Amino acid sequence: MRWSAITLVRYTAGAALLLAANTGYTDAISFQGYSGLLESPDASVTPEGEIRIHYNNDVESTAALPTTRTIDTAENYLFSIGLWDRVEIGGRLAMAYRDTGPRRARTDLSGNLKIRLLEWRNIAIAAGIADFAGEAQNLEARYGVGTLTLPQFLDARLTLGFGAGPDRLDGVIAGAEVPITNFASLIADYDAEEANYGLRLQHRFSNGITLRGTAGGTTASGFDPSFGLTLALPLDLSRSAPAPHSMEVRASADSEAPANRPVQVTVGRDAATVPSASTAPRPPETDSAKVIVSTDTPRNSLIKWQRAGLMNEAGAMTGTAGTAVEYRYGIPLRELASDGTLQWSSSWKRLPHWLEMPLRAEFRFEPFLRSIVGTETGAFEYALAADSTARAQLPAGIGAYLTYTSALGESDDFREGGRFANRQQESALRESAIQWAFHPAPGLITLATYGQTRIEELDYDFMHLEAALLLGGGTHRLRYAYGDYQPFDELNFQDRSTKIAEYRYFWRDPQVLFEVQHGEYFFDQEGTKLEVSRFFGDIAVHLFYHRDDDDREQAGFGFTLPLTPGREPRLGPVVITGAHDWRYAVSTTINDESGDNVLLPTFLLEPVPQYNLTDDILDRDRAFPAYVR
């Protein structure tokens, strides 16, 4: 390493000015993606509900054997999420380059997992694995470490552990981090290959966001300094509710309020300032009072209950002497009874109001992205389009919509003649359909869709039927879906069908959904899907595993987030909104016979309508009584 004190000062002076104020030093992500020092892990983990996004130019991060000079420069993009208390999971896109010969030496996509096993006084023990699963593993490492914190010595942390390789951390690993101010620390570690040393700076903002900068060097000769930048922020964005505004609540004709007269319910900015039942406008104190809370387009229907003054800041229902009824896309879903409990409603129970809901219109705009990450040809190949949807919501759960896809752009490999040209986006009518949603009995919800749709650039007439039965207030959900697809071009393409059965369990306190699904999928594949989803407010993190009857396997990581403001523009019955549940995921093939990481973009594909039962009617599977109890 061509390194000196002068070099260190020169490269970090600007970062020091930026990060010169702070409120206490915390642990951080390493150049390798797991929480730790420079190249070695320690026993810390990313705090629950926090995401850390990191970039560095560290060549060590891309080299299985860093003493060989086959790699000259590198770019590394990493993230780490505190999935649960003591558990972090992350990913890394590592790109290595040569100065001579073929420019790109390697592109590697990998995952990290670390679990803190023990905390006792000032001692913590953790174990983890880097670059797990998949077929193209270049940076694999398994390790166990212990960290001792010394409060009497500036909260310095000493780490000692052992790694089992096979690519990295193959032997004894050790290190230390010593905070020298409340915004800076000195770091040194040994990663079973060589010693490394550096400086880390940080600034913590009052909104929970932290910015960190790291500079590091190594005792190995011939390597330039490495620099990294980290942005850490909380995932639960619902801690700050949208700006105050009014929400329309209809009082029914059989209450003491005038029929169809809007009651304006004003809410504060934070959950803590949401009006309580004693101060918020409420329906008249009669057993027959009904308030219709329309929640067709919220990011989280739970927020609407708070805005109506029917739930306090702790998430407990604040009962009134009447009943509030929640409608989603034309069907009565849940209702608040006079004793303050939240329970299922039903279409029959809410006659005639179910048949008298006013006409509503929705315009939805959302991105439609196809991408491939970390191939030998590039870091990120993509085809980007925008979906524009117009929907008319009629009484009795009947709706109709049109979705048009507008191609916006693509990378070279998605263009004509490219490797992925067959998945290029095209500007065309993507879907047009009519729907009928029905809630015949408490917890039994159905959705029937008929129309035309476009799947993998082919047009089909389709029918899609979904039914969900939610038991235990929604803690358990059974779902069955059937789809029939008739291609426009019947001479060259065959009919398709899907038959899917699913079970979901909701674990309330950590807001976790466990799903298992089995069935016949679109491209004549039969298989099983497993998925675990953790919610942090409106953002969800997903881990999934898929396997078909031919023993092909795929696993991956994804996230879902809203791409729409909390306060959506309204003009009378017209709502303009964005994607409430935009999902992005990356996956890898496991145990393929060829030994390669084969790309399977349509593996176990289940097409669902643009408006579907789980994501829209059930608000990403959260609109059930048990969710807010």
Side-chain angles (χ1 to χ4, degrees), residues 330-350:
I331 65 169
L333 198 63
R334 297 179 291 185
E335 60 184 54
L336 180 62
S338 58
D339 61 0
T341 61
L342 191 64
Q343 61 189 23
W344 287 115
S345 186
S346 73
S347 298
W348 300 123
K349 188 175 182 179
R350 285 297 136 207

Side-chain angles (χ1 to χ4, degrees), residues 326-334 343-347 354 397 436-448 465-471 473-474 476-481 504 612-619 621-625:
E326 175 191 20
Y327 277 75
R328 290 187 62 81
Y329 292 99
I331 65 169
L333 198 63
R334 297 179 291 185
Q343 61 189 23
W344 287 115
S345 186
S346 73
S347 298
W354 176 52
W436 181 44
F438 189 43
H439 191 178
L444 175 61
I445 305 162
T446 64
L447 179 65
L465 306 175
E466 286 184 277
L469 177 61
L470 293 97
L471 306 172
H476 306 272
R477 173 178 59 75
L478 301 174
R479 169 181 171 263
Y480 181 79
R504 188 269 294 144
N612 62 79
L613 184 60
T614 302
D615 295 331
D616 297 285
I617 304 295
L618 290 175
D619 189 19
D621 219 358
R622 297 177 296 172
F624 49 88

Side-chain angles (χ1 to χ4, degrees), residues 297-320:
T297 59
R299 295 191 315 214
N300 184 343
S301 58
L302 181 147
I303 296 175
K304 283 289 182 72
W305 288 95
Q306 291 180 328
R307 288 177 179 169
L310 302 172
M311 180 190 299
N312 63 22
E313 61 272 15
M317 304 306 295
T318 55
T320 67

